[in-house]
Amino acid sequence: MNLSEHSSILIVVIPLIASFVNIFLNFLQRKLCYPFFVLVLGICVALSIDILCQVINFGVLRYRLGGWMAPWGIEYVIDHLNAYLIVIVSSMSFIVAIYSKDSVKKEISKAKLPYFYSTYLLLATGLFGITVTGDIFNLYVFLEIASLSAYALVAIGEKRSVLASFHYIIMGTIGACFYLLGVGYIYIITGSLNISDLTRLLPSLYESKVTLTALAFFIVGIGIKIALFPLHRWLPDSYTFAPSAVSAFASATVTKVGIYVLIRISFTLFEPKFLIEMTPLSNILIWWSTIAIFFGSLIAIGQKDFKRTLSYILIAEIGYMVFGINIGNKEGFIGAVLHILNDSLMIGCLFMIAGGVFYRIGSRNIEDFNGLNRNMPITMAAFTIAALSMIGIPPTAGFFSKWYLIVGAVKAGYLVSAVILIFSSLVNALIFFRILEKIYFTKNENTPMYNFRELPISMMIPIVITALAILIIGLYSGEIISSVIKFSLPKGF
Amino acid sequence: METVIGKYNYWIYIALMMIGFYAMIAKRNLVKKIVGMNIFQTAIILFFISTAYKKDATIPILIKSQEVIDPAKYINPLPHVLMLTAIVVMVSTFGVALAVIMMLYKQYKTLDEDEIIEILRKKK
Amino acid sequence: MKFFALIIVILTGAVLIYSTLDMPDWGDPNSPASLHVSPRYIEKTIEETATPNAVTSVLADYRGYDTLGETTVIFTAAVVCILLLRRFEDDKTL
Amino acid sequence: METSISIKPVLAIAVSAVSAFLIAITGEKLRNLRETWSILASIFKFLIVVSMLPDILCGKVIEYCLFRITSELILHFRIDALGLFFAMTASFLWIITSFYSIGYMRGLNEHKQTRYFVYFAITLSATMGVAFSANIFTAFVFYEIITIATYPLVAHKETEEAKKNARKYLAYLLSTSVAFQLTAIVLTYCLSGNLYFSKGGNLSNDISSSLLTITFLLYIAGITKAAIMPLHSWLPAAMVAPTPVSALLHAVAVVKTGVFMILRVVFYIFGVDLLKSLNLETVLAVVASFTIVAASVIALRQDNLKLRLAYSTVSQLSYIVLGAALLSPSALKGSIFHIIAHAFGKITLFFAAGAIYVTTYKTKISELDGIGKRMPLIMASFTIGALSMIGVPPFAGFISKWYLSVGAIESDKIFVLAILAISTILNACYFMPIVYVAFMKKSKDSKYNGINEAPIFVLIPTVLTAVLTLVVFLCPHPFIKLIILIVNQTFGG
Amino acid sequence: MIRLYDDLIIQTVCRIMIPLIQLFAFYVIAHGHYSPGGGFQGGCILGASFILMVIAYDINWMKRRFSEKKNTLLMAFGVLIYALVGVLCILLGAEYLNYGILNKIIPTDSVKVRALGTLIIEIGVGITVMAVMVSIFLNLTTFGKHEKGEV
């Protein structure tokens, strides 16, 4: 029996089982919960890398659950895009898991930590499940697992977070319901739920109104889940008031997986030509996301609260990705998929730093960042790297995805959007250099609050790792593109 | 007339969905929002179930395994299965939402969104 | 606000109802849904899973993995309720 | 022209980066060791650069491909005569400046000297990077690094004013480079498919002229370091920095980087024929001439010595741009010679200004009455620098003006001669009064009479550079030889 | 002790009803193969019986018979059964949740054993659903303060 041929299912099942076992451990030996939790996510990272290697070496992986043939049973289909996403999600969840050790202690009561770890694992499970599955209804189930745990993780933050979580629940449920309606419509006219089966069946039905409606509902539903601009209302509050570990994890993974689902629905379930040529949808989405970028950046300037600023920047970044996907040429798609990785690193790193600062000075207000480099030089160095990457200064990672997006926009002739992209990087420059100036060139008046040292090592290491990753991955973007992303291009690009 | 006969079930369920949807986005009382959520999801479930129905067919439990089985005689089991899942999801979401609402009530001693926002603004 | 909501709702409903026109009629035994995947469940349930109740066999066997997910969902709900509401005795902070 | 692969360029860049690291870890305690590092680094760098001279002189080109990031974005070095010329100027003057800065920083015992030296070294490496870069992407990367690395130097004082000016500095350089230059690079890529500097131009003639025009203008607007009006006002703002910074970076390294990149764009991206056919060189010439005159006029009204020098820099830089815009061999000769002539002259002036500040804390010209009697050597060298700027024989400035005039006649743009004449007069008008008050007027405060010169570390470099301006005039042949080589390589004659 | 809201009739009826309800719940779980029913339905009925206890008596009375710790453990245990059956299938060399392979350890043919596997996971589901219902009910009705006792 060879485990590596099962790794595509194990990556979902292992964190799942771990989340149950965590409950037992809570009653047996509470101290073991955290090590176990981190260990499991470490195993997930190993598995995900194994999956990626398998995909690169042997091409698409298919796994028939319960041994049933595809349209009747559920099957997992893993191509380069999934594998890439799995690696991102697993490694970010692992890194943030390390980070959560100390940061969570201040925000959640000791007795509840095991339940927190279980929920965290369930969120990871949900995300993995969404990523690997090849069945639209199975995707919905795991979407709900992820969403439920995300609602809870948001709600255990500070006082305001509960209301935020409630809005998240309402919006998220609307999104899920729309997705489910889309599934229903597709099912009624095809009778199948399996993505590759549907890819075969749908082209004959492109004329039907039902198909178009289904696609529209899919897109709106996912648009809510990824907080595309007018539907973003739940995101800033949730990520601002959630525990810092949670906001780091969620911001780095949840929205990215949403983007992945969008890609799957629009380019695998349907053919690219349906979205791009036969319907105006991609054109609508391009302008929609351009607006998202513009307003996300614009609103981000005005914010006092650092985490809130980051949330709005995240909204703009989501706009980038949706834009890149829908341009409909090679560069744009590459840029978007590359940006999924870079953005999850940058946003994750920045949210972790925000959490670290909050951990020390108990404030998220940008005004209180004065002279922090005296107290936490390493963290602030990491912050500088992440900030430069956000602005898109080469050779940090952020530049390259932005480069491809802009080239794609110019080649496809969307010059306005290109200008907006550049505008938003200028806005990032404004925001981040304002903060950097406070950090490095302003003396802090209220010294008593600031007599502390660097972060605890368990929070420092993840931040440093991500910061270094931003630098290194930037240099190897070419590798990533040629070995992974190139193969995930939809046909016709 | 044909279409009305053929499609009225969908229309009823869609009307139900929209009632729930309206409650979710328009009502200011948190519990009413949740109730709207339930109506929405229930309507979707009914919608799915109705797609499973075939004229003069029975529930998909095969009495005698010997006879040659004609699928047209039994209604489509798949939507029922999916909806079992959807029901459970709905219940779980409902539970979580209720828990959050109770936390909110503990904090603000009210269930009206406007009042809560008012309280928050005062705090600022 | 309410008016705005009403507009959205009506639009959504209109789109949904408009697209039902292309759907198979209610109870049509030849609708794609009842012809493509589901017949096998009904025909083969006994010889493949020895379970006369097709719903159960699909639920627990053909699409058993969905059911695992759904059980996980409800488990999640419980964990979440404990995480959010439960206040333990040995709990100082809350 | 045959090429030879060699790692020397990387070494030349690395040496100061390494020294920056060493300086950082040595720190404030062992200041002597720290400054030894920076001196050693400067000397080594110069030696490495010079060691490449023989190959270049016999017409070779040195190449080194550092890193292929993606298929088109490649960190690639290629050293031709022009690059080497610029590199030699900068690295040679760094030796002198590092002595000077020791004297200056210690004389005023400034704070945060370590940071100062670190970023100084980094800036120099980045300058080398621009000088050696083989494609516009590499140049852009190092251009941005320079911007970021000089920001701490400008904000060095950490006073409100310093921070305000640093903000302005960054706003101008970063925003223009991200907004315009990056766009121009993207357009270049989309139009020509590669980003390399190639002899006779990279862009071909068969593209719509409007796009080419836009690209060119974006380049001119984007390379703000050349301080072409109206995007010049970051340079006066940068004068809050310590004088050595203004002397080396904002009279030689940084600003010349800008000019250098404009030369690259004009001759190696667009090429003479294309520009002539689009007749864009006239635009450039007009802008440059306007800058020359306007900046000189503004300089007249400055009372702060460094500000007056800054505006004079703005006008002098446009000489070089003008020389490029004339697109004739001897004009190019003149403009390249002006790089070195202006470098020596202006650095002398700044050194002198710094010396005055160190010894007497005077910054205003109105306070300088009789300063010449107190520090005759310094003021003597100031006079030499001034004369060279005006272009009086026997000083370096004369030669470049000579060639420029010849070039103007060659490419019959007679109005350029007029411009040169006017600016010469204006130069005289704003430099001579200083010399006059310095020597002729009686000193107001009678405390000091008799000689007290600046500290030795400050004095010697000043005199040295002054002497060099003379030497360059007396035996220009080695430079001319190299310059002729450059002109041949550029015009392919 | 007798409290105000204790009602003899209700309590007695419940004493008689609850075992029957639970018995019926087990029937529904077990008979899911042949009639409408299965893990979820049975689990709900089983959970309802415990909730009935709480309504008729009070939480502590119920907890004396069925402690919270046990409940939480069962909650995890039920779904753990489900997941582990799948893992068992992998260990026996088939795909995840492919019960057919279980006949390596259970002596029946590979079709009957599928029904058996179905039964096992139905039981797991039933356990989980029951425990989850009780747990959610308790937390919601008491704001998470079980120890007070009253509903």
Side-chain angles (χ1 to χ4, degrees), chain A residues 467-488:
Chain A
L468 290 181
I470 289 170
L471 277 181
I472 295 162
I473 284 177
L475 291 180
Y476 286 93
S477 326
E479 280 301 308
I480 297 170
I481 292 167
S482 58
S483 60
V484 179
I485 300 177
K486 206 160 94 268
F487 299 98
S488 66

PDB file of all heavy atoms in Angstrom, chain A residues 467-488:
ATOM      1  N   ALA A 467       8.916  37.258   5.344  1.00  0.00           N
ATOM      2  CA  ALA A 467       9.609  38.394   4.725  1.00  0.00           C
ATOM      3  C   ALA A 467      10.686  37.882   3.776  1.00  0.00           C
ATOM      4  O   ALA A 467      10.796  38.332   2.627  1.00  0.00           O
ATOM      5  CB  ALA A 467      10.220  39.260   5.809  1.00  0.00           C
ATOM      6  N   LEU A 468      11.468  36.904   4.239  1.00  0.00           N
ATOM      7  CA  LEU A 468      12.515  36.361   3.361  1.00  0.00           C
ATOM      8  C   LEU A 468      11.884  35.728   2.127  1.00  0.00           C
ATOM      9  O   LEU A 468      12.366  35.900   1.006  1.00  0.00           O
ATOM     10  CB  LEU A 468      13.340  35.327   4.125  1.00  0.00           C
ATOM     11  CG  LEU A 468      14.239  35.908   5.214  1.00  0.00           C
ATOM     12  CD1 LEU A 468      15.029  34.807   5.895  1.00  0.00           C
ATOM     13  CD2 LEU A 468      15.170  36.941   4.619  1.00  0.00           C
ATOM     14  N   ALA A 469      10.761  35.032   2.370  1.00  0.00           N
ATOM     15  CA  ALA A 469      10.102  34.387   1.226  1.00  0.00           C
ATOM     16  C   ALA A 469       9.742  35.429   0.177  1.00  0.00           C
ATOM     17  O   ALA A 469       9.917  35.205  -1.022  1.00  0.00           O
ATOM     18  CB  ALA A 469       8.857  33.657   1.699  1.00  0.00           C
ATOM     19  N   ILE A 470       9.269  36.588   0.633  1.00  0.00           N
ATOM     20  CA  ILE A 470       8.900  37.637  -0.331  1.00  0.00           C
ATOM     21  C   ILE A 470      10.110  37.982  -1.190  1.00  0.00           C
ATOM     22  O   ILE A 470      10.023  38.083  -2.413  1.00  0.00           O
ATOM     23  CB  ILE A 470       8.383  38.877   0.420  1.00  0.00           C
ATOM     24  CG1 ILE A 470       7.030  38.593   1.033  1.00  0.00           C
ATOM     25  CG2 ILE A 470       8.288  40.062  -0.524  1.00  0.00           C
ATOM     26  CD1 ILE A 470       6.565  39.662   1.967  1.00  0.00           C
ATOM     27  N   LEU A 471      11.287  38.104  -0.533  1.00  0.00           N
ATOM     28  CA  LEU A 471      12.480  38.466  -1.294  1.00  0.00           C
ATOM     29  C   LEU A 471      12.859  37.358  -2.270  1.00  0.00           C
ATOM     30  O   LEU A 471      13.101  37.597  -3.455  1.00  0.00           O
ATOM     31  CB  LEU A 471      13.639  38.710  -0.341  1.00  0.00           C
ATOM     32  CG  LEU A 471      13.704  40.093   0.289  1.00  0.00           C
ATOM     33  CD1 LEU A 471      14.910  40.201   1.189  1.00  0.00           C
ATOM     34  CD2 LEU A 471      13.762  41.148  -0.783  1.00  0.00           C
ATOM     35  N   ILE A 472      12.876  36.102  -1.751  1.00  0.00           N
ATOM     36  CA  ILE A 472      13.442  35.020  -2.562  1.00  0.00           C
ATOM     37  C   ILE A 472      12.490  34.649  -3.691  1.00  0.00           C
ATOM     38  O   ILE A 472      12.880  34.570  -4.853  1.00  0.00           O
ATOM     39  CB  ILE A 472      13.744  33.806  -1.664  1.00  0.00           C
ATOM     40  CG1 ILE A 472      14.844  34.178  -0.675  1.00  0.00           C
ATOM     41  CG2 ILE A 472      14.144  32.621  -2.500  1.00  0.00           C
ATOM     42  CD1 ILE A 472      14.951  33.266   0.499  1.00  0.00           C
ATOM     43  N   ILE A 473      11.197  34.507  -3.330  1.00  0.00           N
ATOM     44  CA  ILE A 473      10.238  34.077  -4.344  1.00  0.00           C
ATOM     45  C   ILE A 473      10.208  35.077  -5.488  1.00  0.00           C
ATOM     46  O   ILE A 473      10.065  34.714  -6.656  1.00  0.00           O
ATOM     47  CB  ILE A 473       8.862  33.900  -3.700  1.00  0.00           C
ATOM     48  CG1 ILE A 473       8.846  32.599  -2.914  1.00  0.00           C
ATOM     49  CG2 ILE A 473       7.765  33.888  -4.752  1.00  0.00           C
ATOM     50  CD1 ILE A 473       7.582  32.345  -2.183  1.00  0.00           C
ATOM     51  N   GLY A 474      10.427  36.367  -5.147  1.00  0.00           N
ATOM     52  CA  GLY A 474      10.477  37.354  -6.214  1.00  0.00           C
ATOM     53  C   GLY A 474      11.484  36.965  -7.269  1.00  0.00           C
ATOM     54  O   GLY A 474      11.203  36.993  -8.462  1.00  0.00           O
ATOM     55  N   LEU A 475      12.664  36.502  -6.811  1.00  0.00           N
ATOM     56  CA  LEU A 475      13.718  36.192  -7.775  1.00  0.00           C
ATOM     57  C   LEU A 475      13.401  34.931  -8.561  1.00  0.00           C
ATOM     58  O   LEU A 475      13.891  34.749  -9.662  1.00  0.00           O
ATOM     59  CB  LEU A 475      15.051  36.025  -7.048  1.00  0.00           C
ATOM     60  CG  LEU A 475      15.611  37.317  -6.464  1.00  0.00           C
ATOM     61  CD1 LEU A 475      16.925  37.062  -5.766  1.00  0.00           C
ATOM     62  CD2 LEU A 475      15.798  38.347  -7.560  1.00  0.00           C
ATOM     63  N   TYR A 476      12.572  34.049  -7.966  1.00  0.00           N
ATOM     64  CA  TYR A 476      12.311  32.786  -8.656  1.00  0.00           C
ATOM     65  C   TYR A 476      10.951  32.774  -9.341  1.00  0.00           C
ATOM     66  O   TYR A 476      10.449  31.712  -9.709  1.00  0.00           O
ATOM     67  CB  TYR A 476      12.448  31.618  -7.677  1.00  0.00           C
ATOM     68  CG  TYR A 476      13.879  31.352  -7.349  1.00  0.00           C
ATOM     69  CD1 TYR A 476      14.471  31.941  -6.251  1.00  0.00           C
ATOM     70  CD2 TYR A 476      14.678  30.567  -8.175  1.00  0.00           C
ATOM     71  CE1 TYR A 476      15.819  31.739  -5.979  1.00  0.00           C
ATOM     72  CE2 TYR A 476      16.003  30.359  -7.912  1.00  0.00           C
ATOM     73  CZ  TYR A 476      16.569  30.945  -6.809  1.00  0.00           C
ATOM     74  OH  TYR A 476      17.899  30.755  -6.546  1.00  0.00           O
ATOM     75  N   SER A 477      10.353  33.966  -9.539  1.00  0.00           N
ATOM     76  CA  SER A 477       9.037  33.984 -10.205  1.00  0.00           C
ATOM     77  C   SER A 477       9.101  33.257 -11.529  1.00  0.00           C
ATOM     78  O   SER A 477       8.197  32.500 -11.882  1.00  0.00           O
ATOM     79  CB  SER A 477       8.609  35.431 -10.448  1.00  0.00           C
ATOM     80  OG  SER A 477       9.057  36.238  -9.406  1.00  0.00           O
ATOM     81  N   GLY A 478      10.213  33.456 -12.254  1.00  0.00           N
ATOM     82  CA  GLY A 478      10.337  32.814 -13.562  1.00  0.00           C
ATOM     83  C   GLY A 478      10.214  31.312 -13.439  1.00  0.00           C
ATOM     84  O   GLY A 478       9.466  30.662 -14.173  1.00  0.00           O
ATOM     85  N   GLU A 479      10.928  30.754 -12.428  1.00  0.00           N
ATOM     86  CA  GLU A 479      10.849  29.312 -12.184  1.00  0.00           C
ATOM     87  C   GLU A 479       9.392  28.899 -11.982  1.00  0.00           C
ATOM     88  O   GLU A 479       8.893  27.981 -12.632  1.00  0.00           O
ATOM     89  CB  GLU A 479      11.667  28.959 -10.928  1.00  0.00           C
ATOM     90  CG  GLU A 479      13.148  28.869 -11.184  1.00  0.00           C
ATOM     91  CD  GLU A 479      13.453  27.813 -12.231  1.00  0.00           C
ATOM     92  OE1 GLU A 479      12.985  26.674 -12.066  1.00  0.00           O
ATOM     93  OE2 GLU A 479      14.125  28.153 -13.218  1.00  0.00           O
ATOM     94  N   ILE A 480       8.720  29.613 -11.069  1.00  0.00           N
ATOM     95  CA  ILE A 480       7.346  29.235 -10.731  1.00  0.00           C
ATOM     96  C   ILE A 480       6.488  29.255 -11.983  1.00  0.00           C
ATOM     97  O   ILE A 480       5.751  28.315 -12.277  1.00  0.00           O
ATOM     98  CB  ILE A 480       6.779  30.199  -9.672  1.00  0.00           C
ATOM     99  CG1 ILE A 480       7.590  30.079  -8.388  1.00  0.00           C
ATOM    100  CG2 ILE A 480       5.331  29.905  -9.397  1.00  0.00           C
ATOM    101  CD1 ILE A 480       7.287  31.131  -7.370  1.00  0.00           C
ATOM    102  N   ILE A 481       6.655  30.321 -12.771  1.00  0.00           N
ATOM    103  CA  ILE A 481       5.812  30.428 -13.967  1.00  0.00           C
ATOM    104  C   ILE A 481       6.078  29.262 -14.900  1.00  0.00           C
ATOM    105  O   ILE A 481       5.176  28.543 -15.321  1.00  0.00           O
ATOM    106  CB  ILE A 481       6.076  31.765 -14.678  1.00  0.00           C
ATOM    107  CG1 ILE A 481       5.566  32.911 -13.823  1.00  0.00           C
ATOM    108  CG2 ILE A 481       5.407  31.799 -16.034  1.00  0.00           C
ATOM    109  CD1 ILE A 481       6.042  34.255 -14.266  1.00  0.00           C
ATOM    110  N   SER A 482       7.376  29.020 -15.162  1.00  0.00           N
ATOM    111  CA  SER A 482       7.661  28.032 -16.210  1.00  0.00           C
ATOM    112  C   SER A 482       7.335  26.628 -15.743  1.00  0.00           C
ATOM    113  O   SER A 482       7.030  25.763 -16.564  1.00  0.00           O
ATOM    114  CB  SER A 482       9.137  28.115 -16.596  1.00  0.00           C
ATOM    115  OG  SER A 482       9.920  27.883 -15.448  1.00  0.00           O
ATOM    116  N   SER A 483       7.388  26.373 -14.421  1.00  0.00           N
ATOM    117  CA  SER A 483       7.193  24.985 -13.999  1.00  0.00           C
ATOM    118  C   SER A 483       5.769  24.722 -13.526  1.00  0.00           C
ATOM    119  O   SER A 483       5.335  23.573 -13.531  1.00  0.00           O
ATOM    120  CB  SER A 483       8.164  24.638 -12.873  1.00  0.00           C
ATOM    121  OG  SER A 483       7.924  25.501 -11.794  1.00  0.00           O
ATOM    122  N   VAL A 484       5.031  25.752 -13.099  1.00  0.00           N
ATOM    123  CA  VAL A 484       3.684  25.495 -12.588  1.00  0.00           C
ATOM    124  C   VAL A 484       2.626  26.268 -13.371  1.00  0.00           C
ATOM    125  O   VAL A 484       1.751  25.696 -14.004  1.00  0.00           O
ATOM    126  CB  VAL A 484       3.599  25.883 -11.086  1.00  0.00           C
ATOM    127  CG1 VAL A 484       2.198  25.645 -10.578  1.00  0.00           C
ATOM    128  CG2 VAL A 484       4.613  25.095 -10.284  1.00  0.00           C
ATOM    129  N   ILE A 485       2.756  27.595 -13.356  1.00  0.00           N
ATOM    130  CA  ILE A 485       1.639  28.405 -13.837  1.00  0.00           C
ATOM    131  C   ILE A 485       1.413  28.189 -15.326  1.00  0.00           C
ATOM    132  O   ILE A 485       0.284  28.139 -15.796  1.00  0.00           O
ATOM    133  CB  ILE A 485       1.895  29.893 -13.528  1.00  0.00           C
ATOM    134  CG1 ILE A 485       2.033  30.074 -12.020  1.00  0.00           C
ATOM    135  CG2 ILE A 485       0.778  30.754 -14.058  1.00  0.00           C
ATOM    136  CD1 ILE A 485       2.343  31.463 -11.599  1.00  0.00           C
ATOM    137  N   LYS A 486       2.528  27.979 -16.049  1.00  0.00           N
ATOM    138  CA  LYS A 486       2.387  27.827 -17.499  1.00  0.00           C
ATOM    139  C   LYS A 486       1.403  26.707 -17.824  1.00  0.00           C
ATOM    140  O   LYS A 486       0.628  26.787 -18.776  1.00  0.00           O
ATOM    141  CB  LYS A 486       3.756  27.544 -18.108  1.00  0.00           C
ATOM    142  CG  LYS A 486       3.887  27.979 -19.555  1.00  0.00           C
ATOM    143  CD  LYS A 486       5.329  28.143 -19.956  1.00  0.00           C
ATOM    144  CE  LYS A 486       5.890  26.894 -20.583  1.00  0.00           C
ATOM    145  NZ  LYS A 486       6.533  25.980 -19.611  1.00  0.00           N
ATOM    146  N   PHE A 487       1.410  25.652 -16.991  1.00  0.00           N
ATOM    147  CA  PHE A 487       0.557  24.495 -17.287  1.00  0.00           C
ATOM    148  C   PHE A 487      -0.872  24.720 -16.850  1.00  0.00           C
ATOM    149  O   PHE A 487      -1.756  23.974 -17.236  1.00  0.00           O
ATOM    150  CB  PHE A 487       1.126  23.256 -16.606  1.00  0.00           C
ATOM    151  CG  PHE A 487       2.489  22.910 -17.083  1.00  0.00           C
ATOM    152  CD1 PHE A 487       3.600  23.298 -16.350  1.00  0.00           C
ATOM    153  CD2 PHE A 487       2.676  22.242 -18.272  1.00  0.00           C
ATOM    154  CE1 PHE A 487       4.866  22.995 -16.796  1.00  0.00           C
ATOM    155  CE2 PHE A 487       3.937  21.937 -18.712  1.00  0.00           C
ATOM    156  CZ  PHE A 487       5.029  22.314 -17.975  1.00  0.00           C
ATOM    157  N   SER A 488      -1.095  25.729 -15.998  1.00  0.00           N
ATOM    158  CA  SER A 488      -2.464  25.935 -15.511  1.00  0.00           C
ATOM    159  C   SER A 488      -3.205  26.936 -16.374  1.00  0.00           C
ATOM    160  O   SER A 488      -4.318  27.321 -16.046  1.00  0.00           O
ATOM    161  CB  SER A 488      -2.419  26.428 -14.069  1.00  0.00           C
ATOM    162  OG  SER A 488      -1.830  27.708 -14.045  1.00  0.00           O
TER     163      SER A 488
END
